[in-house]
Amino acid sequence: MTVDDCTILQLPKIPDVRGNLTYVEGGVHVPFSIRRVYWIYDVPGGEVRGGHAYRTLQEVIIALSGSFDVLVSDGVNRRTIPMNRSYYGLYVPQMMWRQLANFSTNAVCLILASNPFDESDYIRRYDTFVAARSAE
Ligand code: TYD
């Protein structure tokens, strides 16, 4: 897996003059069964979240409201993906360093995760992550 495996998924969008509607089904619009959903909100200006990797967890990151950047690294290459549409999801596979930054005012970041919360699945040090990637 490289940063090129972090792909933008276009989610179904039902346009309507009363307001648009987007939905997501696990295993259909995202390539895994959704086991957990969480969201990040009320982020003060300039704050950064999520500097870590997961050993096994896959996720889809959605800018439900506002905008932010997702920075991903596979230990060799890096990419910055701007998220600003609520019908796009960024798929991030396991063993990818990822950080969320440059949140706009009132941004809401929704995350669909393939696993329940498990601290032992986290890699929280970048040097540990790079060492684990180069040992693959
Ligand atoms: P974490 O994933 O470490 O976010 P960040 O890298 O942005 O700091 O989560 C922050 C805290 O919240 C951490 O103590 C773990 C806890 N947490 C849960 O208990 N359950 C969850 O589903 C998530 C995502 C986090």
Side-chain angles (χ1 to χ4, degrees), residues 7-123:
T7 50
I8 293 287
L9 309 176
Q10 183 143 12
L11 303 173
K13 180 181 178 187
I14 314 289
D16 194 306
V17 290
R18 300 169 299 162
N20 299 330
L21 184 152
T22 285
Y23 61 96
V24 57
E25 296 176 358
V28 177
H29 306 108
V30 304
F32 52 80
S33 299
I34 299 165
R35 301 284 308 280
R36 178 166 52 114
V37 178
Y38 65 95
W39 47 101
I40 297 168
Y41 53 98
D42 290 348
V43 179
E47 285 293 346
V48 170
R49 296 233 41 163
H52 53 71
Y54 300 107
R55 296 178 192 280
T56 66
L57 181 141
Q58 307 166 65
E59 62 187 350
V60 169
I61 301 173
I62 301 169
L64 267 197
S65 179
S67 64
F68 51 83
D69 291 337
V70 184
L71 295 80
V72 292
S73 167
D74 55 24
V76 177
N77 293 306
R78 293 170 186 233
R79 276 174 65 202
T80 299
I81 299 118
M83 301 297 295
N84 54 18
R85 293 281 182 270
S86 48
Y87 51 88
Y88 285 147
L90 176 67
Y91 171 68
V92 181
Q94 68 281 359
M95 285 302 282
M96 202 64 60
W97 192 264
R98 50 57 134 203
Q99 193 172 62
L100 310 170
N102 299 326
F103 286 88
S104 69
T105 304
N106 292 331
V108 180
C109 170
L110 184 80
I111 300 185
L112 313 175
S114 65
N115 294 337
F117 177 72
D118 176 9
E119 181 64 40
S120 69
D121 197 49
Y122 280 67
I123 302 177

